[in-house]
Amino acid sequence: MDPINPGPEGYGQDGDGSSPRQRPPRESLTNDFGQSTPTTARTTRLVTGDFLLTVNPVDGSEIEPCPPTERPARPEKRTAAERAEYERAARPPVPPGPAQPELPLLERQDDRERLVRLLARGRSVRLTGPSGSGRTALLDLVADDCSDLAPDGVVRLNGFHRTPEDLVHDLFYAVYKAPAHRPGPDELLELVRDIGAVVVLDDIEFGGAGLDELIDATPECAFLIGATPDVPAPAADSAVEEVFLSGLERAGGVDILERTVGRVLTEEEANWAGDLWFESEGLPLRFVQAGALLRQRDQVRASAGAVDEFGVFASNLSDLSDLSDLPVDAPLDAEATEEVPLPSLGEAAAPAPLLASRLSSSARATLRFAVALGGEVPHQAHLPALVGDTHADAALGELAGCGLVSPVGSRYRLAAGVLQQLEAAGYADDAAAQALTAAQHYNWWTGHPSVSPERVCAEADAVLAALTLLVPETVPPAEDEDSTPVRLARTAAPAFAAGLHWSAWERVLRAGAEASRLAGEVGDQAYFHHELGILALCGDQLDRARAELEASIGLRGALSDKRGTTAGRRALALVADRSGEVIPAVTAMAGDEIPDARHEESISPAGGVTTPFPAVHSPVSDTLVTHRVPGQPTPAQGGGGGLVRMARRNLVAVGAGVLLTAVLGTVVTLGMTSHDDADNPSNNVSVNPSASEDTGDGSLGADPGQTSGTGDTGTATTKPTDPGPDGTLGTSDDPTPPSDTKTPSASATGTKGSSSGGTTSSPSKSPSSSPSPSKSASPSPSKSESQSASPSPSPSSSAPSETPSTSNSASGPASSAPAASSSSAASESSSTGTSTGTVI
């Protein structure tokens, strides 16, 4: 089709006059306009002490007393193979790239044998040495020598940023199999007392009473502790042996240099090594870094020789695969590189900047992230995403080969002194931007469903370091944006809780609470306070838990967050139950309603929180509804208790509701029967009709031609109303009716008078025996009321009174004798109608 001069096919035709064929539907993997089903938030159920904890990342964690069916059995110890697998998983990963040369442990054989002898006697030993003295390497060798000394083998722990309580829990998980179970303090001490192992604890940061507490908790364990001289010493009365680790001799330093470089040192290099030994006090780490400097010097010299021999241009030097690690400003002149000078003594004492300048760009970028994170090196799996290079994971091997990083537990950190040297060289100038990039990456990674809580806990120090740097600089985000520190804390906190790394959980919650306060995120601030209250409740810190939960409930009440408020009140009720304050918990729970869970929210635990029902100390008396005089003290004010006062108030409310229902029923019934209209046929129908068919003549006992408005109401044949002794009308024992004595008609037909002038001497004493439907629902009046309602006419009056009587008879005037005999029947009928009408 020509786009400039469109033919008929451009107007919806195929050119032959026919309509175009229908376009086949496009098959897509997903609907273009359909909404994807949101996934339910990932929750984790843990048993901690006497509680069942459900980690809820949406509304806040739920806590309740652990049901007997959810309580786990006593944990079992790991086998030797399981302990070896657990230890292998806890070691740092092997850096990618060429294997690094294994350096022997020089001049440490006497210390090694002494440590093994002390541990074999069941003594605990503290090995004290400066950073870089080879302390960790010596501990590993001694641990291998003591593998068969204790029934539970050797347990390796790391004390970097760990408290005594954390280390007791780490020892428990290293020996026992207890998934999703964090025992309480008493149960934990009982279990660790049965552990008999050699515990190798490196990088400890506490001493004194904390160290004594750790050793006393495990009387069957022998500890081999590695610490620096700045860590507090054990108590004076402690049974811990002290072993100090010194530096190497000069010969040992030269030996490390030769093994690192891979050749024998020249005389000039040997003299340079002697000066370095005197400056570094024989620390092995300095010789490892110095050997890396000599190795880089050899690479520079070799690259310069290759340029001179093959004539490679300097501009193309960076394209050589074997020289890609060299910087652009490397010396390239062949004559100048023949004699590359040795590093100065100052550069050898602080070699980190010089070593980093000769590394690849990915390795230098990794160092910048490590400096921004306070010395924490991200895991090698995160380096490609952070650096932006698919091969950036190889940077960890470069750093380890140069001695710039050292293993700490299951991860790597910058070696001793490297962080300060790189900060002085300007690697911390963009620390805020690097920390923000790392926080954004960890925010995505920690919230990914495929990442387990254990992997997040292994990266806890890097996450916390990013938060520590970003939280003080937090500002309110722009519209349609989120605060990165707040989001990172929200995603990392549930993972730390589920991974049982509760010291990191507490730190990230406090950092998140501060960040949300600075960012103005009230909902997130309420979440962090709620989680801090749950954590305090798990640690049996009731006052702190109450303060945090009340703060969270107040913030969520301001936001009308009903689900969050309910979760907070449940936890607060449990706090009140633990502390013995039951009444505030009951009043807080009154009237709560839990709405249905949304798709993106997690569902509350099925058990919920059992609200404690307090014991009633005083009996609840029967409720008496009386008029209370203002200012008069009530029994509840006299110390009867809030629950008794609540029970009485509920009984009064129930009684008032019953009375109100009866009154409303009566009013409705009166309203239905209050419209007395003669033209309304419904008013002439009654359950007790006044006109009945006579058994003798078939008539209804009324004049067939009677109409309203006529002057004469007519007469009616009087029928017997007394059944006699046998109780049946129409039998021979019925009394004989009296003679026809005419009385004024009492029917409510609206007739004012009659053409005949006959009068009666006395009116009827009672209403007719058949009340009207309009009167059937009203109470039966007394005799005095009926007389006052129907006064007798004046004897001198020639016409009946204009006031209608209460008789509803449709017949004419009846004789006085039947009227008297029918009074009782009319009363019974009236009472029957009254009782029927008042029933609701």
Side-chain angles (χ1 to χ4, degrees):
M1 181 182 72
D2 188 359
I4 299 182
N5 299 317
E9 64 274 7
Y11 296 96
Q13 298 178 358
D14 291 340
D16 55 355
S18 61
S19 59
R21 293 184 301 271
Q22 184 179 3
R23 182 178 181 180
R26 180 182 60 180
E27 296 182 359
S28 59
L29 297 179
T30 58
N31 295 329
D32 294 338
F33 304 101
Q35 296 182 356
S36 59
T37 304
T39 59
T40 306
R42 182 176 59 183
T43 60
T44 306
R45 294 168 66 89
L46 305 173
V47 177
T48 167
D50 298 333
F51 302 113
L52 177 62
L53 177 64
T54 303
V55 181
N56 184 347
V58 179
D59 302 314
S61 299
E62 301 271 356
I63 187 170
E64 59 177 322
C66 184
T69 57
E70 297 288 342
R71 188 172 297 278
R74 181 181 176 86
E76 298 180 357
K77 289 187 177 181
R78 301 179 187 270
T79 61
E82 291 173 343
R83 287 198 306 268
E85 182 65 25
Y86 183 85
E87 180 182 352
R88 189 180 302 109
R91 286 182 173 272
V94 178
Q100 303 298 327
E102 291 288 341
L103 300 178
L105 190 65
L106 304 175
E107 302 179 6
R108 303 299 188 194
Q109 187 63 29
D110 294 340
D111 296 332
R112 177 179 180 180
E113 294 177 356
R114 181 186 177 186
L115 292 175
V116 172
R117 289 195 303 267
L118 290 174
L119 292 173
R121 298 173 186 172
R123 306 292 297 274
S124 295
V125 187
R126 171 173 147 155
L127 180 63
T128 304
S131 299
S133 61
R135 186 185 65 250
T136 301
L138 180 58
L139 292 179
D140 291 339
L141 291 178
V142 174
D144 295 338
D145 297 338
C146 299
S147 59
D148 56 349
L149 290 180
D152 292 326
V154 177
V155 178
R156 288 179 172 87
L157 300 178
N158 182 259
F160 188 75
H161 291 169
R162 305 294 281 174
T163 63
E165 182 182 1
D166 295 335
L167 291 177
V168 174
H169 281 281
D170 293 343
L171 177 60
F172 166 76
Y173 291 117
V175 178
Y176 287 95
K177 294 183 295 184
H181 180 205
R182 183 180 174 89
D186 297 337
E187 184 182 2
L188 178 64
L189 293 178
E190 180 184 356
L191 292 172
V192 297
R193 286 182 182 274
D194 296 337
I195 298 177
V198 176
V199 182
V200 180
L201 177 58
D202 195 11
D203 296 319
I204 193 172
E205 295 182 343
F206 59 87
L211 183 58
D212 293 340
E213 177 185 352
L214 177 61
I215 295 177
D216 294 341
T218 56
E220 301 297 328
C221 294
F223 283 85
L224 177 59
I225 304 170
T228 56
D230 55 346
V231 176
D237 57 347
S238 177
V240 178
E241 296 284 344
E242 283 277 2
V243 176
F244 294 94
L245 197 63
S246 59
L248 301 176
E249 298 292 337
R250 178 175 178 176
V254 174
D255 191 1
I256 292 179
L257 280 176
E258 291 180 349
R259 290 177 181 273
T260 304
V261 178
R263 59 178 177 82
V264 180
L265 299 180
T266 63
E267 182 179 357
E268 182 183 6
E269 293 173 344
N271 295 332
W272 178 76
D275 296 338
L276 178 63
W277 173 83
F278 182 80
E279 189 276 333
S280 64
E281 299 180 356
L283 294 180
L285 178 63
R286 296 290 185 86
F287 289 97
V288 172
Q289 294 173 348
L293 288 176
L294 294 180
R295 189 171 61 249
Q296 287 182 350
R297 178 172 174 264
D298 292 345
Q299 291 175 356
V300 171
R301 295 175 62 181
S303 63
V307 170
D308 181 62
E309 180 178 357
F310 297 105
V312 181
F313 295 98
S315 58
N316 297 330
L317 182 63
S318 58
D319 296 336
L320 296 177
S321 58
D322 56 338
L323 301 177
S324 59
D325 294 339
L326 295 177
V328 179
D329 56 349
L332 302 176
D333 186 36
E335 297 179 358
T337 55
E338 282 294 332
E339 294 295 336
V340 178
L342 289 171
S344 64
L345 188 60
E347 292 175 339
L354 182 58
L355 288 172
S357 64
R358 294 175 177 177
L359 297 177
S360 63
S361 58
S362 298
R364 292 195 297 271
T366 303
L367 288 176
R368 292 185 181 276
F369 278 106
V371 171
L373 297 178
E376 291 290 337
V377 179
H379 193 274
Q380 60 187 15
H382 299 286
L383 294 179
L386 291 173
V387 176
D389 183 8
T390 56
H391 301 285
D393 55 345
L396 183 61
E398 297 182 47
L399 299 177
C402 295
L404 296 180
V405 297
S406 59
V408 177
S410 61
R411 62 193 187 279
Y412 287 90
R413 282 183 56 87
L414 293 180
V418 174
L419 177 61
Q420 293 77 13
Q421 298 171 23
L422 293 179
E423 287 178 346
Y427 277 76
D429 295 342
D430 55 348
Q434 301 292 334
L436 180 60
T437 303
Q440 292 173 348
H441 169 73
Y442 284 128
N443 180 26
W444 166 82
W445 180 71
T446 55
H448 199 275
S450 64
V451 180
S452 63
E454 290 76 16
R455 294 177 59 190
V456 179
C457 293
E459 206 74 7
D461 289 327
V463 174
L464 292 173
L467 277 176
T468 303
L469 185 62
L470 292 179
V471 165
E473 307 297 331
T474 304
V475 295
E479 188 176 0
D480 298 335
E481 292 184 2
D482 294 331
S483 176
T484 300
V486 176
R487 292 298 95 196
L488 176 58
R490 283 296 299 263
T491 56
F496 291 154
L500 299 175
H501 194 346
W502 283 17
S503 59
W505 186 25
E506 182 178 3
R507 292 175 60 188
V508 76
L509 288 177
R510 296 196 177 280
E514 179 65 16
S516 59
R517 185 187 66 83
L518 295 176
E521 302 288 347
V522 181
D524 296 318
Q525 187 178 0
Y527 168 81
F528 292 124
H529 282 294
H530 175 86
E531 295 296 286
L532 286 171
I534 296 295
L535 179 60
L537 178 57
C538 293
D540 204 20
Q541 301 176 358
L542 301 181
D543 294 337
R544 175 178 161 189
R546 183 183 298 105
E548 296 288 352
L549 290 173
E550 288 177 352
S552 174
I553 292 173
L555 293 174
R556 283 175 164 171
L559 296 176
S560 300
D561 184 2
K562 198 168 188 179
R563 292 184 59 87
T565 303
T566 301
R569 288 182 176 178
R570 284 177 170 175
L572 193 60
L574 193 56
V575 173
D577 181 32
R578 302 283 289 188
S579 60
E581 300 176 3
V582 185
I583 298 302
V586 174
T587 56
M589 292 291 294
D592 286 344
E593 181 182 356
I594 306 174
D596 295 335
R598 300 186 294 269
H599 289 284
E600 70 274 10
E601 296 179 349
S602 60
I603 302 175
S604 301
V609 176
T610 304
T611 304
F613 195 84
V616 180
H617 300 286
S618 59
V620 181
S621 60
D622 295 336
T623 303
L624 179 62
V625 181
T626 59
H627 175 69
R628 186 167 68 89
V629 180
Q632 180 181 359
T634 59
Q637 297 174 356
L643 184 63
V644 176
R645 181 166 62 254
M646 184 183 301
R648 291 178 177 175
R649 189 176 300 126
N650 291 340
L651 292 176
V652 171
V654 171
V658 172
L659 293 177
L660 180 61
T661 304
V663 172
L664 289 177
T666 304
V667 171
V668 171
T669 305
L670 291 177
M672 294 174 61
T673 59
S674 60
H675 302 285
D676 290 337
D677 189 2
D679 297 333
N680 190 359
S682 62
N683 293 335
N684 297 328
V685 180
S686 174
V687 294
N688 296 321
S690 58
S692 60
E693 183 178 358
D694 186 68
T695 57
D697 54 359
S699 63
L700 296 177
D703 294 339
Q706 180 182 359
T707 57
S708 60
T710 58
D712 190 4
T713 59
T715 60
T717 304
T718 303
K719 296 179 295 186
T721 58
D722 190 0
D726 58 352
T728 305
L729 292 175
T731 57
S732 59
D733 59 341
D734 293 347
T736 303
S739 60
D740 295 337
T741 304
K742 297 184 179 179
T743 59
S745 175
S747 62
T749 57
T751 305
K752 294 184 179 181
S754 177
S755 57
S756 62
T759 60
T760 182
S761 60
S762 63
S764 175
K765 296 291 184 179
S766 63
S768 173
S769 60
S770 300
S772 66
S774 61
K775 300 299 182 180
S776 62
S778 61
S780 175
S782 61
K783 182 177 181 180
S784 59
E785 291 176 354
S786 62
Q787 291 178 356
S788 60
S790 302
S792 65
S794 175
S796 59
S797 177
S798 61
S801 174
E802 296 181 0
T803 303
S805 67
T806 57
S807 175
N808 293 326
S809 175
S811 63
S815 60
S816 59
S821 63
S822 62
S823 300
S824 59
S827 301
E828 294 176 359
S829 176
S830 300
S831 61
T832 303
T834 302
S835 61
T836 305
T838 56
V839 175
I840 299 175

